[in-house]
């Protein structure tokens, strides 16, 4: 704590309460970055040393040594960051996940606070925080691995440099995004439907983990007598075994998740699956007291848990879009998230366990991820398709009237608009007009000819017309009489 106080001493400039527009001095920025680099390292190392010292004090089998606890905390820190160790020449790759989760949360929280204290508003501005935290973890792991060369517990320097740096990079990115938001480029190109799928996938993974934790808890509770018999009468030994079991609880939950989805897990010769079982020896750890001794016919009934998870994911995505195809696409994104999570958990939960009968501890990552994807996508797509909205089909009359749209896939938008205008114009022309027709106006040429004839005395005389008509009739009578003769 004294080191942290010196690193974060802000008597000259209280950087924690600065306004966003206040520019920090170079010294203040260096202090914040130095605290971000050393804070997680010092805190994590101190926690590991404290746990080891507590175990040594309660064991009661030898004199306690503070120096020995501090030296042993180095390999413990590497184990917390998933760096495979060598114990007397035997590989130890099954490392506890609970300290790893704590280390990731500590690095992410440090990155968030450092970004806010430095007034960064965009993730690109927070690049110094990312580089500082990532580089500090990588260098610290390399230093521990080099210092442990020749001791009973050793580690590969390259792995000690790369693995803690990678985990710190992921955690610091998460912390920076939490404090500054996503980059503008990602936010602009991120599909809203895909984002909903990501959230639904996170929900599905959390529910599967909860189901695995429930199955593990029930199995342990049912086998409580076996679990209790594994503890030794001495308090120190029992406390050490209890602490070891607690640290490996996330590993057991990941194995239980693989079991309820179908593939199962294996410890050496022991293979426990939903539809198969092969016996074998297991370590005498209370954590494994709930392992079954034989296969049971009712195990396939547990498959209702992943199926219900898929239904829940589909139900949560039933209203994301009116198009059923788009809803199914969101369910597929959620299934991919769950599959990726199963790959990460299965990879970290297993590993080498010496060269004895318990080696290796493994989860079939490939099969487990594919099966988990199917458990989410198949029932989720079914629910999202039928429980959501559906666009009403176009009436057949409209399709018959608009013959111009028979080949709509090959018609441009402008051509379609012109066709609609032509159809509307033709409909308006076919409608009968209710207005009366106006009388025809006399032709001006006809009126001029009539006036000219009147001036010249050439007007039509009614008497002359009658005489002409009568004469015509008389000629007709004469011709008829001659014909009769």
């Amino acid at each position: 704590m004294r080191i942290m106080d010196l690193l974060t001493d802000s008597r000259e400039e209280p950087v924690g309460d600065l306004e966003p527009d206040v520019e920090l001095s170079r010294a203040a920025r260096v202090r914040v970055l130095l605290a971000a680099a050393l804070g997680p390292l010092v805190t994590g190392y101190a926690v590991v040393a404290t746990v080891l010292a507590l175990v040594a004090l309660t064991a009661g089998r030898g004199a306690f040594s503070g120096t020995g606890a501090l030296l042993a905390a180095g390999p413990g820190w590497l184990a917390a960051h998933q760096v495979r160790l060598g114990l007397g020449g035997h590989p130890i790759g099954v490392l506890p996940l609970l300290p790893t989760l704590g280390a990731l949360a500590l690095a992410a929280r440090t990155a968030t606070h450092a970004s806010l204290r430095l007034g960064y508003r965009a993730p690109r501005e927070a690049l110094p925080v990312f580089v500082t935290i990532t580089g500090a973890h990588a260098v610290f792991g390399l230093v521990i691995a080099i210092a442990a060369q020749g001791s009973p517990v050793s580690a590969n320097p390259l792995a000690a440099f790369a693995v803690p740096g990678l985990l710190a990079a992921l955690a610091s990115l998460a912390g920076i995004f939490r404090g500054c938001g996503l980059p503008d480029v990602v936010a602009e190109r991120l599909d809203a439907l895909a984002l909903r799928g990501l959230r639904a996938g996170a929900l599905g993974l959390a529910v599967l983990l909860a189901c695995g934790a429930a199955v593990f808890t029930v199995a342990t509770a049912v086998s409580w007598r076996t679990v209790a018999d594994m503890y030794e009468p001495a308090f120190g030994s029992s406390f050490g075994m209890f602490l070891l079991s607690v640290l490996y609880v996330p590993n057991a939950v990941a194995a239980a998740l693989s079991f309820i989805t179908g593939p199962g897990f294996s410890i050496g010769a022991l293979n426990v699956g939903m539809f198969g079982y092969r016996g074998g020896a297991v370590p005498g750890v209370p954590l494994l007291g709930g392992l079954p001794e034989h296969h049971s016919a009712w195990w396939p009934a547990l498959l209702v848990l992943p199926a219900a998870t898929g239904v829940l994911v589909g139900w949560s995505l039933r209203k994301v879009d009116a198009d059923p195809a788009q809803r199914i696409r969101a369910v597929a994104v959620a299934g991919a998230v769950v599959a990726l999570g199963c790959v990460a958990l299965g990879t970290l939960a297993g590993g080498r366990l010496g060269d004895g009968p318990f080696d290796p501890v493994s989860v079939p990552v490939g099969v487990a991820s594919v099966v988990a994807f199917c458990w989410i996508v198949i029932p989720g797509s079914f629910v999202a398709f039928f429980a959501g909205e559906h666009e009403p089909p176009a009436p057949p009359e409209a399709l018959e009237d608009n013959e111009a749209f028979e080949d709509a896939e090959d018609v441009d938008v402008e051509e379609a608009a012109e066709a609609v205008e032509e159809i509307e114009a033709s409909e308006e022309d076919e409608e009968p007009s209710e207005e009366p027709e106006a009388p025809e106006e006399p032709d001006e040429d006809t009126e001029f000819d009539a006036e000219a004839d009147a001036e010249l005395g050439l007007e039509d005389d009614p008497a002359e017309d009658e005489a002409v008509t009568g004469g015509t009739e008389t000629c007709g009578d004469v011709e008829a009489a001659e014909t009769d003769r």
Side-chain angles (χ1 to χ4, degrees), residues 382-425:
F382 184 85
V383 173
F385 183 87
F386 290 101
E389 299 179 359
H390 290 267
E391 295 180 353
E397 299 178 356
L399 296 178
E400 293 177 358
D401 296 339
N402 300 333
E403 296 179 355
F405 294 95
E406 291 181 356
D407 299 330
E409 295 181 356
D410 300 333
V411 177
D412 295 336
V413 177
E414 296 180 356
E415 295 179 359
E418 294 177 358
V420 172
E421 293 178 357
E422 293 177 1
I423 294 173
E424 292 178 352

